Amino acid sequence: MSKKESDKDILIAHIIKGIEEVKGQNIEILDLRELENTVCDYFIICDGTSNTQVNAIANSIQKTVSKSLKEKAWHIEGAENSEWILMDYVHIVVHVFQKHIRELYDIEGLWGDAKIVKIETTY
């Protein structure tokens, strides 16, 4: 495994940890590396039950990644209304949705050819 892939795996692990710390739900990783014309290598998707929880998930991801890896998201969108927050870590894009917004946009369906890994949670 190359250092670049190892760094991505470490970042993914810290993003997942940040989601789990505030009980983000339905966590999935979409591996886009085998697809043509993608904007990144991975999508990480999860949802929260309210705009407060969506905002808390995004903040927890930022704090966990910053504290552990000294990295910051290149770009963040959607924090104003907290229905769908997108966090761009260049090779990894995190989508934090309210459940009904996630169902509406159906990112998993749009990227149906991607390999999808569901993360099991214990809460």
Side-chain angles (χ1 to χ4, degrees):
M1 181 184 301
S2 70
K3 175 156 176 34
K4 189 175 178 184
E5 287 301 315
S6 176
D7 290 347
K8 289 177 195 172
D9 291 341
I10 292 167
L11 178 56
I12 289 169
H14 283 87
I15 290 169
I16 299 298
K17 180 181 177 189
I19 294 168
E20 291 177 333
E21 284 186 2
V22 288
K23 298 185 176 11
Q25 301 172 349
N26 306 310
I27 306 167
E28 294 183 335
I29 301 170
L30 278 65
D31 184 343
L32 308 173
R33 293 175 296 174
E34 299 294 320
L35 305 179
E36 291 183 27
N37 302 318
T38 59
V39 295
C40 63
D41 292 337
Y42 298 95
F43 282 162
I44 299 177
I45 304 171
C46 69
D47 56 72
T49 57
S50 66
N51 61 347
T52 303
Q53 187 183 22
V54 166
N55 199 34
I57 293 167
N59 288 338
S60 179
I61 293 167
Q62 282 182 286
K63 192 163 94 176
T64 301
V65 169
S66 176
K67 187 175 182 181
S68 301
L69 304 176
K70 308 293 187 254
E71 284 192 44
K72 291 186 177 185
W74 178 71
H75 184 74
I76 297 174
E77 286 184 30
E80 306 80 39
N81 63 13
S82 299
E83 290 186 343
W84 174 5
I85 298 178
L86 180 143
M87 305 174 75
D88 186 347
Y89 284 94
V90 183
H91 297 289
I92 300 163
V93 174
V94 183
H95 300 271
V96 184
F97 288 100
Q98 284 191 40
K99 188 170 181 63
H100 68 282
I101 301 295
R102 181 176 182 173
E103 291 169 356
L104 177 68
Y105 286 98
D106 188 26
I107 300 280
E108 298 91 335
L110 290 172
W111 293 92
D113 293 340
K115 179 181 164 197
I116 299 176
V117 176
K118 295 180 187 289
I119 304 298
E120 297 297 322
T121 55
T122 57
Y123 43 83

